[in-house]
Amino acid sequence: MLHSLNKLNMKNSILIIASLFVLSTYGQQDKHYSMFFANPVQFNPAVAGHFGGNVQLFANYRSQWFTVSDNPFRSFSASIDGKLGERQLKNGFVGAGMNIMNDVSGDSRYSLTVISAPINYSLEVNRNSYFSLGIQPGLYMQKMSGDQLYFDNQWDGSGFNSAIASNENLGGFNDTKFDLGAGLYFTSSPSSNSKYQLGVSASHLTRQPINFLQSSEKLYRNFSLYARGEFGSNGSNVAFHPAIIAFMQGPNYEVMFGNNFVYQLRPPSKHTMYFDGTSIGFGVYYRWADALVANMVFTTGAFSAGVSYDLNISGLSPATKGVGGCEFFVKLTPTLGSNKFGAPRIH
């Protein structure tokens, strides 16, 4: 049995056993973020370019299992996307961008890095609706070092002794494969107080091999369904932003749903656009059979920032003590080249 931690205690043993069970039984599952609604272009290339402004910058960080392991899982993502040809094309635009996702976990320092380039064509169905088709070529890169791992034959009676040969042929591992994804997306704003978004996507269409040793195991395709709405009313400063996402990857699945209550601290200027709107949102989400998630999102003009916390309620709760993960994001969506005018007193 592979021991990835140096200390033998109950909570670590539970995590090791559970992790080995998941890896041997279910095999694979992509990394997911609790605040998925903040940047859906991470999992659906058809969403690139669909935002207020003409360029979007996004960064996200997540840490979890830090109450269980001395080396918790850490995930980081960053992206940029925007609109191309909006003035040249009569009935739509081209959305394009770049995504980078990196995840590091465990004593082996297993690292997964995915670099992808979403691109789509968004067709203007009518004045308030768009339908988009996108693809996402990329690189799927894995890296691992076995130098910090201990095995059962290295136990000397009082601890693990690295001087004893493990006879395991792991060494270093570094591999890069081509990856491909695709997606569909529909968005509509039937009124100034309502908006709908619906998307379906698939990743790892190439099913590239992901083996460390000599096996021929291939990466499962990952299918996702995403829906979100924004609902408000005239004369009210409160809006509702419900959202749901579902992933299915081989025998694995994940469903997460909830709602953000958004309170408008200051509305934007209606005519001169001198003032940007400012709002704060509080959300509660449920990840099926896994966690309750609370988040807070602050937005002022083109800048947004959010933080979330996962409360673990799964079978791993005795080991995690209910602690799941913390997540943070920042987002900037400026409209380049715009000039505001007017004076504050007339707004």
Side-chain angles (χ1 to χ4, degrees):
M1 174 180 176
L2 174 64
H3 297 274
S4 61
L5 302 175
N6 298 339
K7 299 178 181 179
L8 292 178
N9 54 51
M10 182 57 70
K11 67 177 184 178
N12 288 356
S13 298
I14 293 174
L15 179 64
I16 293 169
I17 294 171
S19 299
L20 289 174
F21 175 78
V22 171
L23 289 173
S24 62
T25 305
Y26 298 105
Q28 313 155 12
Q29 190 171 21
D30 282 354
K31 304 299 181 291
H32 303 147
Y33 291 95
S34 292
M35 292 184 286
F36 60 90
F37 53 84
N39 193 34
V41 73
Q42 288 182 321
F43 52 85
N44 190 340
V47 186
H50 286 274
F51 52 86
N54 51 28
V55 65
Q56 177 174 249
L57 301 170
F58 182 87
N60 196 3
Y61 175 80
R62 178 179 177 85
S63 178
Q64 64 186 77
W65 308 122
F66 44 83
T67 60
V68 177
S69 171
D70 294 331
N71 292 293
F73 294 7
R74 295 181 176 91
S75 302
F76 170 80
S77 71
S79 67
I80 179 172
D81 65 298
K83 302 177 180 67
L84 303 175
E86 190 175 16
R87 296 182 178 180
Q88 292 77 16
L89 299 173
K90 295 181 180 180
N91 59 348
F93 64 87
V94 173
M98 181 72 69
N99 291 326
I100 300 176
M101 300 181 68
N102 175 259
D103 183 84
V104 180
S105 58
D107 285 358
S108 68
R109 307 299 296 168
Y110 170 72
S111 173
L112 173 63
T113 302
V114 180
I115 301 176
S116 58
I119 185 169
N120 66 59
Y121 179 73
S122 294
L123 175 67
E124 186 178 11
V125 179
N126 55 50
R127 186 176 180 181
N128 301 309
S129 304
Y130 281 87
F131 177 78
S132 176
L133 169 64
I135 61 171
Q136 184 166 268
L139 297 176
Y140 189 92
M141 298 176 284
Q142 300 175 90
K143 185 178 181 180
M144 185 186 77
S145 174
D147 296 339
Q148 300 300 316
L149 299 178
Y150 297 106
F151 298 82
D152 55 355
N153 62 348
Q154 293 178 299
W155 179 261
D156 62 9
S158 60
F160 289 102
N161 187 349
S162 59
I164 301 175
S166 67
N167 299 320
E168 298 288 344
N169 186 25
L170 285 178
F173 177 84
N174 195 336
D175 192 31
T176 300
K177 294 289 194 306
F178 176 74
D179 196 25
L180 182 66
L184 299 172
Y185 179 71
F186 176 77
T187 180
S188 179
S189 301
S191 71
S192 60
N193 296 316
S194 63
K195 184 176 182 179
Y196 306 89
Q197 303 170 21
L198 178 64
V200 293
S201 63
S203 57
H204 314 315
L205 296 176
T206 47
R207 292 212 65 195
Q208 58 270 26
I210 57 170
N211 53 290
F212 286 108
L213 300 176
Q214 301 300 321
S215 70
S216 58
E217 184 178 9
K218 294 184 177 181
L219 186 62
Y220 289 125
R221 296 184 180 96
N222 190 353
F223 301 93
S224 71
L225 172 65
Y226 165 77
R228 184 172 183 261
E230 299 180 9
F231 308 102
S233 60
N234 292 327
S236 174
N237 290 330
V238 180
F240 303 90
H241 294 183
I244 184 172
I245 193 166
F247 292 98
M248 184 176 68
Q249 187 173 12
N252 306 307
Y253 69 91
E254 177 179 307
V255 179
M256 186 173 181
F257 56 89
N259 178 74
N260 270 63
F261 302 89
V262 180
Y263 180 77
Q264 195 171 64
L265 300 173
R266 184 180 70 177
S269 304
K270 292 184 178 180
H271 303 292
T272 62
M273 298 304 293
Y274 186 89
F275 287 131
D276 289 322
T278 301
S279 66
I280 188 168
F282 300 93
V284 178
Y285 282 76
Y286 175 64
R287 184 182 293 112
W288 192 266
D290 181 57
L292 290 173
V293 181
N295 72 63
M296 181 176 68
V297 179
F298 175 77
T299 301
T300 179
F303 174 80
S304 295
V307 57
S308 72
Y309 176 77
D310 293 17
L311 178 65
N312 185 267
I313 57 174
S314 71
L316 288 177
S317 294
T320 64
K321 297 181 179 180
V323 178
C326 292
E327 189 174 314
F328 309 89
F329 83 80
V330 292
K331 179 168 61 173
L332 189 63
T333 56
T335 300
L336 302 180
S338 65
N339 293 312
K340 297 179 182 180
F341 58 93
R345 64 179 181 275
I346 67 174
H347 296 273

